[in-house]
């Protein structure tokens, strides 16, 4: 019983810190999908982030009850804690399952969406950076093309309507006189946008996935500790149910 009380108290403090970490992960996933919503057809992809935020809110009262039950046992508090742990476990596992299914789906969608933007983009040499989704993405992520600047060369060679240069949004900020000339490739961003987008999504999803998995294990440990304490205070009647 003393070990269960100590473990429950420790987990209560962990839950408070985990609430901040979980909230950060949920906001990160929501912002990533919101900022790049033009690349995804489904609007429900940020659902895993909202579930992470909901579990972060539940972690706060769960931590309070865990610390309180470890100090002074109360049948009502023990029952409420067990219900909160059950809800928390469901939220964590649901969020983790959604993220695992989204990771495969978003990877294929990203490749087709970025490729479509590159081939449909209209630009001219020495033109100021436009306000299209692709231009904004290249400036924000400091990237050029789908894989690198050679993607624009392929597009130019396949169509006589596209000039032999890259959009000015591919130019590095420190080169103010850059006009997208292929003769000065050192003035262009080296990395492609697809890799940077995948890295952003992978980091956000992996972060939330590990948080959900770890918190699910901690919720199980808290439930076991709380159950041990409940055994030492048996029900006198069934009216509590």
């Amino acid at each position: 019983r003393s070990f269960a009380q100590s473990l429950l108290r420790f987990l209560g403090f962990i839950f408070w810190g985990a609430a901040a970490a979980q909230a950060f992960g949920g906001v990160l996933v929501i912002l990533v999908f919101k900022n790049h919503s033009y690349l995804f057809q489904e609007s429900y992809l940020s659902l895993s982030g909202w579930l992470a935020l909901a579990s972060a809110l539940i972690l706060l009262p769960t931590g309070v009850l865990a610390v309180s039950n470890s100090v002074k046992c109360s049948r009502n508090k023990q029952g409420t804690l067990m219900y909160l742990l059950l809800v928390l476990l469901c939220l964590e596992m649901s969020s983790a399952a959604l993220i695992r299914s989204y990771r495969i789906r978003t990877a294929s969608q990203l490749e087709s969406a970025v490729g479509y933007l590159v081939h449909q983009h209209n630009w001219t040499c020495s033109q100021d950076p436009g306000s299209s989704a692709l231009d904004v993405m290249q400036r924000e992520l400091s990237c050029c093309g789908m894989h690198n600047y050679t993607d624009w060369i392929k597009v130019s060679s396949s169509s006589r309507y596209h000039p032999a240069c890259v959009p000015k949004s591919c130019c590095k900020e420190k080169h103010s006189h850059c006009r997208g000339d292929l003769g000065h490739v050192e003035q262009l961003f080296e990395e492609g946008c697809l890799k940077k987008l995948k890295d952003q999504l992978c980091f956000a999803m992996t972060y939330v996935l590990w948080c959900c998995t770890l918190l699910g294990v901690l919720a199980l440990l808290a439930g076991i500790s709380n159950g041990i304490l409940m055994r030492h205070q048996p029900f006198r009647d069934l009216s509590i149910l």
Side-chain angles (χ1 to χ4, degrees):
R1 181 181 178 181
S2 61
F3 175 77
Q5 286 178 328
S6 301
L7 180 60
L8 195 60
R9 185 185 303 112
F10 173 75
L11 291 175
F13 291 117
I14 291 295
F15 285 155
W16 290 341
Q22 186 82 334
F24 171 77
V27 171
L28 186 63
V29 170
I30 293 172
L31 289 180
V32 167
F33 282 112
K34 182 180 179 181
N35 293 337
H36 304 294
S37 58
Y38 53 88
L39 296 173
F40 305 101
Q41 299 178 353
E42 296 86 352
S43 59
Y44 57 82
L45 291 176
S46 60
L47 179 60
S48 58
W50 290 109
L51 290 178
L53 281 180
S55 61
L57 292 176
I58 294 179
L59 279 169
L60 295 175
T62 303
V64 173
L65 287 174
V67 174
S68 177
N69 284 338
S70 65
V71 177
K72 183 179 180 180
C73 293
S74 170
R75 177 58 66 180
N76 292 332
K77 290 182 180 180
Q78 288 176 337
T80 304
L81 175 60
M82 197 65 79
Y83 282 121
L84 287 178
L85 289 172
L86 180 61
V87 174
L88 179 64
L89 186 62
C90 292
L91 287 174
E92 299 292 353
M93 294 301 101
S94 298
S95 182
L98 286 175
I99 287 177
R100 285 185 63 86
S101 63
Y102 290 168
R103 289 176 69 175
I104 301 176
R105 185 179 306 174
T106 54
S108 59
Q109 286 187 8
L110 269 181
E111 188 168 356
S112 60
V114 175
Y116 176 80
L117 290 178
V118 170
H119 285 83
Q120 296 298 319
H121 187 58
N122 293 318
W123 78 96
T124 58
C125 296
S126 302
Q127 183 183 18
D128 291 335
S131 58
S132 65
L134 185 59
D135 287 320
V136 173
M137 180 175 62
Q138 289 187 145
R139 290 196 299 270
E140 288 182 350
L141 299 180
S142 299
C143 58
C144 184
M146 184 174 178
H147 301 287
N148 49 47
Y149 71 91
T150 58
D151 293 324
W152 296 111
I153 301 177
K154 297 176 183 177
V155 174
S156 300
S157 60
S158 63
S159 174
R160 60 187 179 90
Y161 297 105
H162 291 102
C165 63
V166 301
K168 195 177 177 181
S169 56
C170 284
C171 295
K172 298 178 181 178
E173 294 181 357
K174 63 181 181 180
H175 298 290
S176 58
H177 300 291
C178 175
R179 293 293 181 268
D181 186 5
L182 293 174
H184 300 280
V185 294
E186 71 278 358
Q187 299 178 352
L188 308 177
F189 296 124
E190 292 86 1
E191 290 189 84
C193 296
L194 181 61
K195 181 181 183 300
K196 290 205 168 186
L197 284 171
K198 284 185 176 181
D199 290 343
Q200 276 193 358
L201 283 174
C202 184
F203 172 77
M205 290 185 173
T206 304
Y207 179 88
V208 175
L209 179 62
W210 279 106
C211 280
C212 291
T213 305
L214 181 59
L215 285 173
V217 174
L218 295 179
L220 284 175
L221 290 176
I224 294 173
S225 301
N226 192 46
I228 293 174
L229 295 179
M230 293 176 73
R231 289 183 58 189
H232 290 82
Q233 190 179 0
F235 288 110
R236 295 183 179 180
D237 51 48
L238 299 179
S239 61
I240 190 65
L241 299 178

